[in-house]
C-alpha cells in the first residue's frame, strides 16, 4: 500500500530490532520514530561528552604518571584501537541481537572503561589505566553506531535529517565535555582523589 513505508530487503536486518515494526507504521505513528531519534540524539550527546571529557585528561594523566611526554599519544592510540576492534564486532552482534541491546552494551563498556581508568589513576597503576582506555574504546566503537540506527528507523526521505540530528547531538557533547573536565577534576581533588581521577570517574556518570 502507498501509505506504508517499504523496508529495504537488500540488507540483512537485526533479528530483535525495532526496524521491522517501525517500517510498517502508519504516517500518524511517526511520533514514535521521532521519539526514538530524539532518544538516540540525547544518548549520543551524553556519550560524546563523556568521551571528550576523558580525552581531555588522558594525555595529562599518562604524562603525570610516567613523567614522559613522549607517551602523551598512547592513550588516544589505545582508545582508537579498542574502538576500531569493537566497531567490527558490533556489526556482527547487531545482526544477532539487535541494535538496542548492542548499544546498551556499548554504554556499559564506556562506563566500565572510565571506571577502570579512574581506578588506575587513583592507584597509580599505569597498566590498569591503559586497560581502562581500551575498554573505553570498546564503548566508543559501539556507540558510534547510534547514527546509523537513527537512519534505519526513519523512512528514506527523513534518514539524512535524522542522522544529522544525532551527529549534531554528538557535536554538542564533544564541545561540552572538555569544559566540564576541569570542574570534575577539581572536585575530585578536593575530596581526596588523585589528579585527573575525578574527571575520569565523572565520565562514568555521563555514560
Amino acid at each position: 500500500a502507498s501509505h506504508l513505508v517499504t523496508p529495504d530487503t537488500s540488507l540483512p536486518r537485526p533479528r530483535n530490532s525495532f526496524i521491522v515494526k517501525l517500517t510498517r507504521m502508519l504516517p500518524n505513528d511517526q511520533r514514535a520514530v521521532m521519539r526514538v531519534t530524539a532518544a538516540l540524539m540525547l544518548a549520543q550527546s551524553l556519550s560524546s561528552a563523556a568521551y571528550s571529557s576523558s580525552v581531555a585528561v588522558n594525555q595529562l594523566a599518562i604524562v603525570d604518571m610516567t613523567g614522559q611526554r613522549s607517551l602523551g599519544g598512547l592513550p588516544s592510540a589505545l582508545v582508537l584501537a579498542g574502538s576500531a576492534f569493537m566497531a567490527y564486532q558490533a556489526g556482527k552482534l547487531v545482526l544477532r541481537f539487535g541494535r538496542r541491546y548492542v548499544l546498551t552494551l556499548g554504554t556499559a563498556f564506556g562506563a566500565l572503561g572510565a571506571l577502570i581508568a579512574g581506578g588506575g589513576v587513583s592507584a597509580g597503576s599505569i597498566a590498569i589505566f591503559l586497560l581502562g582506555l581500551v575498554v573505553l574504546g570498546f564503548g566508543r566503537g559501539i556507540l558510534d553506531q547510534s547514527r546509523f540506527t537513527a537512519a534505519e528507523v526513519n523512512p528514506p526521505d527523513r534518514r539524512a535529517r535524522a542522522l544529522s540530528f544525532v551527529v549534531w547531538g554528538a557535536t554538542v557533547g564533544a564541545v561540552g565535555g572538555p569544559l566540564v573536565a576541569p570542574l570534575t577534576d577539581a572536585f575530585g581533588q578536593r575530596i581526596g582523589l588523585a589528579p585527573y581521577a575525578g574527571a575520569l570517574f565523572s565520565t562514568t556518570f555521563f555514560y
Side-chain angles (χ1 to χ4, degrees):
S2 60
H3 62 279
L4 295 178
V5 179
T6 304
D8 183 3
T9 58
S10 62
L11 297 175
R13 296 294 184 178
R15 184 188 307 171
N16 297 322
S17 70
F18 295 118
I19 299 171
V20 175
K21 292 181 180 179
L22 290 176
T23 52
R24 294 174 180 171
M25 283 183 175
L26 296 175
N28 60 1
D29 289 327
Q30 290 301 323
R31 288 176 297 180
V33 178
M34 294 177 63
R35 285 196 297 269
V36 173
T37 304
L40 289 169
M41 181 180 70
L42 178 61
Q44 186 74 354
S45 180
L46 291 175
S47 66
S48 183
Y51 174 74
S52 61
S53 176
S54 68
V55 168
V57 300
N58 288 339
Q59 294 179 343
L60 299 175
I62 191 66
V63 171
D64 184 67
M65 295 172 71
T66 64
Q68 300 184 37
R69 294 187 178 182
S70 59
L71 295 178
L74 181 59
S76 296
L78 290 177
V79 172
L80 183 61
S83 177
F85 171 79
M86 190 53 67
Y88 175 73
Q89 302 300 323
K92 296 191 293 185
L93 291 173
V94 164
L95 291 176
R96 183 172 181 180
F97 300 108
R99 289 198 184 274
R100 178 174 62 173
Y101 300 106
V102 175
L103 290 176
T104 301
L105 178 64
T107 300
F109 270 133
L112 179 61
L115 189 63
I116 294 174
V121 171
S122 296
S125 173
I126 298 174
I128 294 177
F129 172 63
L130 297 180
L131 173 63
L133 297 182
V134 175
V135 177
L136 185 65
F138 289 168
R140 179 69 177 182
I142 294 176
L143 291 175
D144 279 346
Q145 306 295 318
S146 296
R147 63 197 66 182
F148 306 116
T149 304
E152 284 186 332
V153 300
N154 279 269
D157 60 331
R158 298 180 184 176
R159 287 176 181 171
R161 179 177 297 180
L163 192 149
S164 67
F165 281 155
V166 175
V167 173
W168 178 80
T171 303
V172 172
V175 172
L179 299 178
V180 177
L183 303 177
T184 55
D185 179 48
F187 176 76
Q189 293 188 51
R190 281 200 299 269
I191 63 176
L193 295 177
Y196 313 117
L200 288 168
F201 284 138
S202 69
T203 298
T204 301
F205 171 77
F206 281 117
Y207 276 110

